[in-house]
Amino acid sequence: MPAPIQESLQKKVADRLAFYQDLGIAPFYRDRHDESVFQEQPVQSAQSAVRSTQISHEEPTLPKPLPKPNLQKPVPAALPKTAPLPLPAPPAPSLFDADDRIADDTLLRIREDLGECTRCKLHKHRHTIVFGDGNPQAELVFVGEGPGADEDAQGLPFVGRAGKLLTQMIEAMGLQRKDVYICNVVKCRPPENRTPEEDEVGACSPFLLRQLEVISPKVIVCLGAVAAKMLLKTNRGISQFRGQWLDFRSSKLMATYHPAYLLRNPNAKPEVWKDLQKVMAVLGLQPKKGKPA
Ligand code: URA
């Protein structure tokens, strides 16, 4: 019987496969989206997030391995007597070593890969791609839905009316915009600010996933249902899990209402402030004096 795989390695393997699958590299293994993230209980540590990617003992349908190229140098028939003994080759880095996970990816590289994107129909009407903005080493990332008219004009996320409210929320948390990172699920404005469609989210989400992987924040706050549903792979309504701690890879994830929703429903502001206070507690932040807007 093969030796049991260590739990920590199982988690690494599961996380890595989940990441590849989310990037759209599909043939690795079976669908994992069984929503078991919601069976986890809140505010345990990120390690407790054994997501639905956990290794199954059933046979996965793996593609046939390609024949391994023979990379070894031909061994001479006899070594000359004086030749030093060949040193053992250093161990090949494992695909699952934490340090080699797309180790040299950067926000700049992701932006370059995005290019002048035409991967989905949103490119037809956009003026500017809104990639994301803020501190690349932020402990806190806000993920919105997609740019509106102001963002499309300026190339920056959350700079319109909803953005002003988000800025006030960030400042009420004792932070400034430059301390956090702000981005969206789709990087081009949907016409008439409609909800992005599935194919648009599908085309754009690998870039968001790479951004989150590079920044690797302590906390991700999903602003509204589109971001929450995309990252959590769920169709549940946001009110079912708003304000609860969930896990997203090595980050803690909290979904709350979108600032645009708060502009239409100011009565929901206290609920969002409660959510943000939970975030502040995890990040060790003191609120700015005075009542938040
Ligand atoms: N709404 C969003 O979801 N994102 C923005 O950048 C602006 C408004």
Side-chain angles (χ1 to χ4, degrees):
M1 205 176 94
I5 303 172
Q6 267 181 0
E7 214 175 288
S8 61
L9 182 60
Q10 280 191 29
K11 171 136 179 29
K12 264 191 201 172
V13 173
D15 281 352
R16 174 59 69 91
L17 291 175
F19 180 58
Y20 286 148
Q21 194 186 29
D22 287 341
L23 289 183
I25 305 170
F28 269 131
Y29 67 118
R30 296 166 309 147
D31 190 9
R32 72 182 199 282
H33 300 147
D34 63 359
E35 303 229 336
S36 60
V37 68
F38 292 104
Q39 285 145 29
E40 296 294 319
Q41 261 332 290
V43 191
Q44 289 150 7
S45 70
Q47 285 96 19
S48 70
V50 181
R51 301 180 63 197
S52 45
T53 49
Q54 201 161 23
I55 293 202
S56 157
H57 293 291
E58 290 164 40
E59 269 311 289
T61 48
L62 289 172
K64 278 205 177 133
L66 294 169
K68 279 190 189 157
N70 183 2
L71 299 176
Q72 292 199 332
K73 288 195 182 146
V75 181
L79 291 170
K81 277 198 181 129
T82 51
L85 283 177
L87 291 171
S94 152
L95 180 63
F96 301 110
D97 281 347
D99 293 345
D100 80 328
R101 63 164 45 195
I102 312 204
D104 48 0
D105 209 4
T106 61
L107 292 178
L108 190 63
R109 177 176 288 190
I110 301 167
R111 181 65 190 86
E112 281 170 5
D113 290 347
L114 184 63
E116 273 308 295
C117 185
T118 55
R119 291 170 182 80
C120 83
K121 55 191 178 300
L122 291 183
H123 81 275
K124 291 186 193 149
H125 302 286
R126 70 146 189 261
H127 289 104
T128 326
I129 291 178
V130 180
F131 180 69
D133 185 41
N135 179 357
Q137 270 128 33
E139 289 202 317
L140 174 58
V141 172
F142 290 93
V143 183
E145 181 175 317
D150 294 299
E151 292 77 18
D152 181 54
Q154 295 182 42
L156 291 168
F158 282 97
V159 288
R161 271 184 76 219
K164 295 222 161 62
L165 181 53
L166 176 62
T167 305
Q168 287 172 352
M169 286 155 51
I170 291 168
E171 288 173 356
M173 296 171 79
L175 292 168
Q176 295 180 6
R177 268 180 78 114
K178 66 173 173 51
D179 299 322
V180 303
Y181 193 83
I182 307 175
C183 54
N184 285 301
V185 172
V186 294
K187 317 269 184 244
C188 297
R189 181 190 181 199
E192 313 299 325
N193 296 345
R194 64 158 170 75
T195 305
E197 292 169 2
E198 209 175 306
D199 59 317
E200 296 157 358
V201 171
C204 219
S205 57
F207 297 97
L208 170 63
L209 294 171
R210 282 173 63 190
Q211 285 172 296
L212 295 176
E213 187 74 10
V214 165
I215 300 169
S216 195
K218 227 183 210 171
V219 175
I220 298 168
V221 172
C222 291
L223 299 168
V226 171
K229 287 178 174 186
M230 189 259 128
L231 290 179
L232 297 170
K233 311 264 182 234
T234 181
N235 280 321
R236 292 173 190 224
I238 187 171
S239 51
Q240 288 181 42
F241 54 87
R242 195 218 96 241
Q244 291 175 27
W245 281 119
L246 296 164
D247 293 303
F248 179 81
R249 307 203 193 296
S250 54
S251 305
K252 297 169 90 54
L253 183 150
M254 164 91 59
T256 194
Y257 294 131
H258 194 288
Y261 174 83
L262 296 182
L263 291 174
R264 297 190 302 272
N265 302 278
N267 292 345
K269 282 184 183 177
E271 284 179 88
V272 171
W273 182 235
K274 263 193 231 155
D275 300 344
L276 296 181
Q277 283 175 306
K278 292 183 193 170
V279 172
M280 289 159 62
V282 165
L283 297 178
L285 296 171
Q286 296 300 320
K288 208 174 107 178
K289 295 257 163 13
K291 209 168 166 279

PDB file of all heavy atoms in Angstrom, residues 99-120:
ATOM      1  N   ASP A  99       6.797  27.564  -3.101  1.00  0.00           N
ATOM      2  CA  ASP A  99       7.635  28.643  -3.635  1.00  0.00           C
ATOM      3  C   ASP A  99       7.611  28.746  -5.145  1.00  0.00           C
ATOM      4  O   ASP A  99       8.000  29.753  -5.705  1.00  0.00           O
ATOM      5  CB  ASP A  99       9.081  28.435  -3.183  1.00  0.00           C
ATOM      6  CG  ASP A  99       9.190  28.623  -1.700  1.00  0.00           C
ATOM      7  OD1 ASP A  99       8.250  29.172  -1.117  1.00  0.00           O
ATOM      8  OD2 ASP A  99      10.202  28.213  -1.151  1.00  0.00           O
ATOM      9  N   ASP A 100       7.221  27.671  -5.803  1.00  0.00           N
ATOM     10  CA  ASP A 100       7.305  27.753  -7.260  1.00  0.00           C
ATOM     11  C   ASP A 100       5.946  28.078  -7.875  1.00  0.00           C
ATOM     12  O   ASP A 100       5.766  27.989  -9.067  1.00  0.00           O
ATOM     13  CB  ASP A 100       7.873  26.459  -7.855  1.00  0.00           C
ATOM     14  CG  ASP A 100       6.844  25.366  -7.952  1.00  0.00           C
ATOM     15  OD1 ASP A 100       5.961  25.343  -7.091  1.00  0.00           O
ATOM     16  OD2 ASP A 100       6.935  24.554  -8.885  1.00  0.00           O
ATOM     17  N   ARG A 101       4.968  28.492  -7.051  1.00  0.00           N
ATOM     18  CA  ARG A 101       3.655  28.717  -7.651  1.00  0.00           C
ATOM     19  C   ARG A 101       3.671  30.024  -8.458  1.00  0.00           C
ATOM     20  O   ARG A 101       3.727  31.128  -7.954  1.00  0.00           O
ATOM     21  CB  ARG A 101       2.522  28.663  -6.636  1.00  0.00           C
ATOM     22  CG  ARG A 101       2.495  29.652  -5.564  1.00  0.00           C
ATOM     23  CD  ARG A 101       1.158  29.745  -4.875  1.00  0.00           C
ATOM     24  NE  ARG A 101       0.564  28.462  -4.559  1.00  0.00           N
ATOM     25  CZ  ARG A 101      -0.701  28.319  -4.220  1.00  0.00           C
ATOM     26  NH1 ARG A 101      -1.492  29.352  -4.163  1.00  0.00           N
ATOM     27  NH2 ARG A 101      -1.181  27.138  -3.919  1.00  0.00           N
ATOM     28  N   ILE A 102       3.709  29.801  -9.753  1.00  0.00           N
ATOM     29  CA  ILE A 102       3.829  30.907 -10.693  1.00  0.00           C
ATOM     30  C   ILE A 102       4.686  31.975 -10.048  1.00  0.00           C
ATOM     31  O   ILE A 102       4.311  33.138  -9.906  1.00  0.00           O
ATOM     32  CB  ILE A 102       2.446  31.398 -11.140  1.00  0.00           C
ATOM     33  CG1 ILE A 102       1.610  30.189 -11.548  1.00  0.00           C
ATOM     34  CG2 ILE A 102       2.569  32.400 -12.264  1.00  0.00           C
ATOM     35  CD1 ILE A 102       0.489  30.406 -12.502  1.00  0.00           C
ATOM     36  N   ALA A 103       5.875  31.533  -9.658  1.00  0.00           N
ATOM     37  CA  ALA A 103       6.693  32.307  -8.728  1.00  0.00           C
ATOM     38  C   ALA A 103       6.990  33.707  -9.225  1.00  0.00           C
ATOM     39  O   ALA A 103       7.060  34.629  -8.442  1.00  0.00           O
ATOM     40  CB  ALA A 103       7.977  31.561  -8.451  1.00  0.00           C
ATOM     41  N   ASP A 104       7.169  33.834 -10.526  1.00  0.00           N
ATOM     42  CA  ASP A 104       7.574  35.159 -10.976  1.00  0.00           C
ATOM     43  C   ASP A 104       6.417  35.943 -11.575  1.00  0.00           C
ATOM     44  O   ASP A 104       6.621  36.860 -12.343  1.00  0.00           O
ATOM     45  CB  ASP A 104       8.752  35.053 -11.940  1.00  0.00           C
ATOM     46  CG  ASP A 104       8.502  34.016 -13.004  1.00  0.00           C
ATOM     47  OD1 ASP A 104       7.421  33.392 -12.969  1.00  0.00           O
ATOM     48  OD2 ASP A 104       9.365  33.835 -13.872  1.00  0.00           O
ATOM     49  N   ASP A 105       5.188  35.580 -11.244  1.00  0.00           N
ATOM     50  CA  ASP A 105       4.066  36.375 -11.737  1.00  0.00           C
ATOM     51  C   ASP A 105       4.052  37.712 -11.001  1.00  0.00           C
ATOM     52  O   ASP A 105       4.425  37.792  -9.825  1.00  0.00           O
ATOM     53  CB  ASP A 105       2.729  35.647 -11.493  1.00  0.00           C
ATOM     54  CG  ASP A 105       1.682  36.013 -12.535  1.00  0.00           C
ATOM     55  OD1 ASP A 105       2.009  36.768 -13.473  1.00  0.00           O
ATOM     56  OD2 ASP A 105       0.529  35.557 -12.416  1.00  0.00           O
ATOM     57  N   THR A 106       3.669  38.741 -11.702  1.00  0.00           N
ATOM     58  CA  THR A 106       3.581  40.075 -11.086  1.00  0.00           C
ATOM     59  C   THR A 106       2.356  40.770 -11.667  1.00  0.00           C
ATOM     60  O   THR A 106       1.848  40.378 -12.725  1.00  0.00           O
ATOM     61  CB  THR A 106       4.809  40.944 -11.434  1.00  0.00           C
ATOM     62  OG1 THR A 106       4.834  41.107 -12.865  1.00  0.00           O
ATOM     63  CG2 THR A 106       6.108  40.339 -10.963  1.00  0.00           C
ATOM     64  N   LEU A 107       1.939  41.833 -10.979  1.00  0.00           N
ATOM     65  CA  LEU A 107       0.800  42.593 -11.502  1.00  0.00           C
ATOM     66  C   LEU A 107       1.137  43.160 -12.880  1.00  0.00           C
ATOM     67  O   LEU A 107       0.289  43.185 -13.776  1.00  0.00           O
ATOM     68  CB  LEU A 107       0.419  43.713 -10.530  1.00  0.00           C
ATOM     69  CG  LEU A 107      -0.175  43.236  -9.189  1.00  0.00           C
ATOM     70  CD1 LEU A 107      -0.464  44.418  -8.279  1.00  0.00           C
ATOM     71  CD2 LEU A 107      -1.433  42.406  -9.395  1.00  0.00           C
ATOM     72  N   LEU A 108       2.382  43.567 -13.052  1.00  0.00           N
ATOM     73  CA  LEU A 108       2.789  44.123 -14.343  1.00  0.00           C
ATOM     74  C   LEU A 108       2.661  43.078 -15.449  1.00  0.00           C
ATOM     75  O   LEU A 108       2.148  43.348 -16.538  1.00  0.00           O
ATOM     76  CB  LEU A 108       4.233  44.626 -14.232  1.00  0.00           C
ATOM     77  CG  LEU A 108       4.731  45.444 -15.405  1.00  0.00           C
ATOM     78  CD1 LEU A 108       3.913  46.721 -15.531  1.00  0.00           C
ATOM     79  CD2 LEU A 108       6.213  45.782 -15.220  1.00  0.00           C
ATOM     80  N   ARG A 109       3.115  41.881 -15.137  1.00  0.00           N
ATOM     81  CA  ARG A 109       3.034  40.813 -16.140  1.00  0.00           C
ATOM     82  C   ARG A 109       1.571  40.474 -16.463  1.00  0.00           C
ATOM     83  O   ARG A 109       1.215  40.245 -17.624  1.00  0.00           O
ATOM     84  CB  ARG A 109       3.756  39.561 -15.626  1.00  0.00           C
ATOM     85  CG  ARG A 109       3.632  38.411 -16.587  1.00  0.00           C
ATOM     86  CD  ARG A 109       4.401  37.229 -16.136  1.00  0.00           C
ATOM     87  NE  ARG A 109       5.829  37.457 -16.292  1.00  0.00           N
ATOM     88  CZ  ARG A 109       6.740  36.501 -16.152  1.00  0.00           C
ATOM     89  NH1 ARG A 109       6.369  35.289 -15.847  1.00  0.00           N
ATOM     90  NH2 ARG A 109       8.007  36.769 -16.296  1.00  0.00           N
ATOM     91  N   ILE A 110       0.750  40.470 -15.439  1.00  0.00           N
ATOM     92  CA  ILE A 110      -0.672  40.165 -15.670  1.00  0.00           C
ATOM     93  C   ILE A 110      -1.280  41.261 -16.565  1.00  0.00           C
ATOM     94  O   ILE A 110      -2.022  40.975 -17.497  1.00  0.00           O
ATOM     95  CB  ILE A 110      -1.440  40.067 -14.329  1.00  0.00           C
ATOM     96  CG1 ILE A 110      -0.839  38.977 -13.445  1.00  0.00           C
ATOM     97  CG2 ILE A 110      -2.916  39.778 -14.570  1.00  0.00           C
ATOM     98  CD1 ILE A 110      -1.312  39.006 -11.996  1.00  0.00           C
ATOM     99  N   ARG A 111      -0.916  42.498 -16.263  1.00  0.00           N
ATOM    100  CA  ARG A 111      -1.431  43.612 -17.091  1.00  0.00           C
ATOM    101  C   ARG A 111      -0.953  43.471 -18.530  1.00  0.00           C
ATOM    102  O   ARG A 111      -1.698  43.722 -19.484  1.00  0.00           O
ATOM    103  CB  ARG A 111      -0.979  44.957 -16.485  1.00  0.00           C
ATOM    104  CG  ARG A 111      -1.487  46.167 -17.259  1.00  0.00           C
ATOM    105  CD  ARG A 111      -3.002  46.251 -17.195  1.00  0.00           C
ATOM    106  NE  ARG A 111      -3.573  47.248 -18.090  1.00  0.00           N
ATOM    107  CZ  ARG A 111      -3.875  47.034 -19.368  1.00  0.00           C
ATOM    108  NH1 ARG A 111      -3.634  45.852 -19.936  1.00  0.00           N
ATOM    109  NH2 ARG A 111      -4.425  47.985 -20.091  1.00  0.00           N
ATOM    110  N   GLU A 112       0.314  43.061 -18.686  1.00  0.00           N
ATOM    111  CA  GLU A 112       0.838  42.871 -20.048  1.00  0.00           C
ATOM    112  C   GLU A 112       0.102  41.743 -20.755  1.00  0.00           C
ATOM    113  O   GLU A 112      -0.216  41.838 -21.929  1.00  0.00           O
ATOM    114  CB  GLU A 112       2.336  42.553 -19.994  1.00  0.00           C
ATOM    115  CG  GLU A 112       3.181  43.789 -19.784  1.00  0.00           C
ATOM    116  CD  GLU A 112       4.643  43.457 -19.475  1.00  0.00           C
ATOM    117  OE1 GLU A 112       5.034  42.268 -19.520  1.00  0.00           O
ATOM    118  OE2 GLU A 112       5.365  44.414 -19.165  1.00  0.00           O
ATOM    119  N   ASP A 113      -0.157  40.660 -20.019  1.00  0.00           N
ATOM    120  CA  ASP A 113      -0.871  39.535 -20.632  1.00  0.00           C
ATOM    121  C   ASP A 113      -2.290  39.939 -21.043  1.00  0.00           C
ATOM    122  O   ASP A 113      -2.818  39.455 -22.034  1.00  0.00           O
ATOM    123  CB  ASP A 113      -0.957  38.342 -19.664  1.00  0.00           C
ATOM    124  CG  ASP A 113       0.400  37.679 -19.456  1.00  0.00           C
ATOM    125  OD1 ASP A 113       1.329  37.986 -20.232  1.00  0.00           O
ATOM    126  OD2 ASP A 113       0.529  36.860 -18.521  1.00  0.00           O
ATOM    127  N   LEU A 114      -2.881  40.810 -20.258  1.00  0.00           N
ATOM    128  CA  LEU A 114      -4.238  41.278 -20.585  1.00  0.00           C
ATOM    129  C   LEU A 114      -4.206  42.074 -21.885  1.00  0.00           C
ATOM    130  O   LEU A 114      -5.084  41.926 -22.746  1.00  0.00           O
ATOM    131  CB  LEU A 114      -4.761  42.132 -19.421  1.00  0.00           C
ATOM    132  CG  LEU A 114      -6.183  42.653 -19.505  1.00  0.00           C
ATOM    133  CD1 LEU A 114      -7.184  41.503 -19.534  1.00  0.00           C
ATOM    134  CD2 LEU A 114      -6.477  43.558 -18.302  1.00  0.00           C
ATOM    135  N   GLY A 115      -3.165  42.865 -22.047  1.00  0.00           N
ATOM    136  CA  GLY A 115      -2.969  43.642 -23.283  1.00  0.00           C
ATOM    137  C   GLY A 115      -4.153  44.537 -23.594  1.00  0.00           C
ATOM    138  O   GLY A 115      -4.875  44.969 -22.699  1.00  0.00           O
ATOM    139  N   GLU A 116      -4.343  44.793 -24.867  1.00  0.00           N
ATOM    140  CA  GLU A 116      -5.529  45.557 -25.315  1.00  0.00           C
ATOM    141  C   GLU A 116      -6.618  44.529 -25.586  1.00  0.00           C
ATOM    142  O   GLU A 116      -6.990  44.263 -26.724  1.00  0.00           O
ATOM    143  CB  GLU A 116      -5.194  46.379 -26.567  1.00  0.00           C
ATOM    144  CG  GLU A 116      -4.606  47.731 -26.262  1.00  0.00           C
ATOM    145  CD  GLU A 116      -5.452  48.537 -25.271  1.00  0.00           C
ATOM    146  OE1 GLU A 116      -6.591  48.892 -25.621  1.00  0.00           O
ATOM    147  OE2 GLU A 116      -4.983  48.787 -24.138  1.00  0.00           O
ATOM    148  N   CYS A 117      -7.141  43.982 -24.537  1.00  0.00           N
ATOM    149  CA  CYS A 117      -7.936  42.749 -24.583  1.00  0.00           C
ATOM    150  C   CYS A 117      -9.157  42.840 -25.508  1.00  0.00           C
ATOM    151  O   CYS A 117      -9.887  43.826 -25.492  1.00  0.00           O
ATOM    152  CB  CYS A 117      -8.392  42.424 -23.159  1.00  0.00           C
ATOM    153  SG  CYS A 117      -9.245  40.860 -23.057  1.00  0.00           S
ATOM    154  N   THR A 118      -9.352  41.766 -26.284  1.00  0.00           N
ATOM    155  CA  THR A 118     -10.576  41.650 -27.091  1.00  0.00           C
ATOM    156  C   THR A 118     -11.191  40.271 -26.842  1.00  0.00           C
ATOM    157  O   THR A 118     -11.855  39.709 -27.703  1.00  0.00           O
ATOM    158  CB  THR A 118     -10.263  41.802 -28.596  1.00  0.00           C
ATOM    159  OG1 THR A 118      -9.253  40.832 -28.935  1.00  0.00           O
ATOM    160  CG2 THR A 118      -9.768  43.184 -28.938  1.00  0.00           C
ATOM    161  N   ARG A 119     -10.935  39.699 -25.647  1.00  0.00           N
ATOM    162  CA  ARG A 119     -11.376  38.328 -25.385  1.00  0.00           C
ATOM    163  C   ARG A 119     -12.883  38.199 -25.270  1.00  0.00           C
ATOM    164  O   ARG A 119     -13.419  37.109 -25.377  1.00  0.00           O
ATOM    165  CB  ARG A 119     -10.718  37.787 -24.113  1.00  0.00           C
ATOM    166  CG  ARG A 119      -9.216  37.555 -24.243  1.00  0.00           C
ATOM    167  CD  ARG A 119      -8.608  37.265 -22.889  1.00  0.00           C
ATOM    168  NE  ARG A 119      -7.171  37.068 -22.931  1.00  0.00           N
ATOM    169  CZ  ARG A 119      -6.273  38.061 -22.990  1.00  0.00           C
ATOM    170  NH1 ARG A 119      -6.679  39.325 -23.027  1.00  0.00           N
ATOM    171  NH2 ARG A 119      -4.983  37.799 -23.010  1.00  0.00           N
ATOM    172  N   CYS A 120     -13.571  39.278 -24.951  1.00  0.00           N
ATOM    173  CA  CYS A 120     -15.033  39.187 -24.872  1.00  0.00           C
ATOM    174  C   CYS A 120     -15.628  40.438 -25.493  1.00  0.00           C
ATOM    175  O   CYS A 120     -14.925  41.398 -25.815  1.00  0.00           O
ATOM    176  CB  CYS A 120     -15.505  38.994 -23.426  1.00  0.00           C
ATOM    177  SG  CYS A 120     -15.632  40.530 -22.499  1.00  0.00           S
TER     178      CYS A 120
END
